[in-house]
Amino acid sequence: MEASIMDGHGRRCGAVSGLTTVKNPVSLARLVMDRSPHSYLAFDGAEEFAREQGVEVVDNSYFITEENMSMLKRAKEANSIMYDYRVPAPGVDSASAGLEGAKVENGLLMNGLRISVYAPETVGCVVVDSNGWCAAATSTGGLMNKMSGRIGDSPLIGSGTYACGDCAVSCTGEGEAIIRSTLARDVAALVEYKGLSLQEAVDYAIKERLDEGMAGLIAVSRNGEVAYGFNTIGMFRGCATEDGFMEVSIW
Ligand code: ASP
């Protein structure tokens, strides 16, 4: 697992990678930001820091679910790497995924597969407070069947996560494409240097910058503008304000 957090007010940040026992990686990323002299800790050093800081750790088996094991098995069989909003890997159709005739609890299907089976494991959050100060955080288990040692965009400041005085951005999707596009930073730069509105910046970055990859992002500006964009089939997202407004969307 890996995660990052950035406080746009003062551009402070923290990130962690290569975790196997930390229950809430994003909390550790925050401690890296607040209590370490560094910005990014990974693998053994990050686990050691977690123990020093007394964050909650669990046995690795806590993270191993039946659904994920069966997805991993299928990904291995198909010799494929998968990410959220994935279409079935080549050679893995809904029938071979064992979902044929499955009861559809929520009535929603994606590519013929139950959405619950493909529930995203990456969580991103962007916030703005009444001072107009923005912050972003992203946490993930990465890609299904990724290589050992692979680091994605989520812990990389500027790629999966970014916040500055103008806005905060968190991305999800195919990490390699997000890294190549420095997606989160590009959205912020378009607002900062070109004066685009947040939604214009998001649309431009998704259309012009994201090359040959499937991804999406959520963003908020210092004025409270909320924006999102994706070139995937859907992206689970929600928005809440302090006066009680709440909204959730997929498509
Ligand atoms: N972006 C994440 C990664 O590539 C995966 C995801 O967002 O689902 O590690």
Side-chain angles (χ1 to χ4, degrees), residues 10-29:
R11 296 194 191 215
R12 298 180 320 119
C13 61
V16 286
S17 280
L19 301 174
T20 53
T21 66
V22 175
K23 194 169 177 193
N24 299 301
V26 75
S27 304
L28 190 63

Side-chain angles (χ1 to χ4, degrees), residues 2 83-84 122 140 142-143 150 152-154 171-176 178:
E2 46 195 15
Y83 55 96
D84 297 335
T122 300
T140 191
L143 303 184
R150 181 259 188 191
D153 60 297
S154 306
C171 305
T172 183
E174 195 185 333
E176 284 67 12
I178 298 169

Side-chain angles (χ1 to χ4, degrees), residues 88 151 154 166 220:
I151 290 172
S154 306
D166 289 300
V220 71

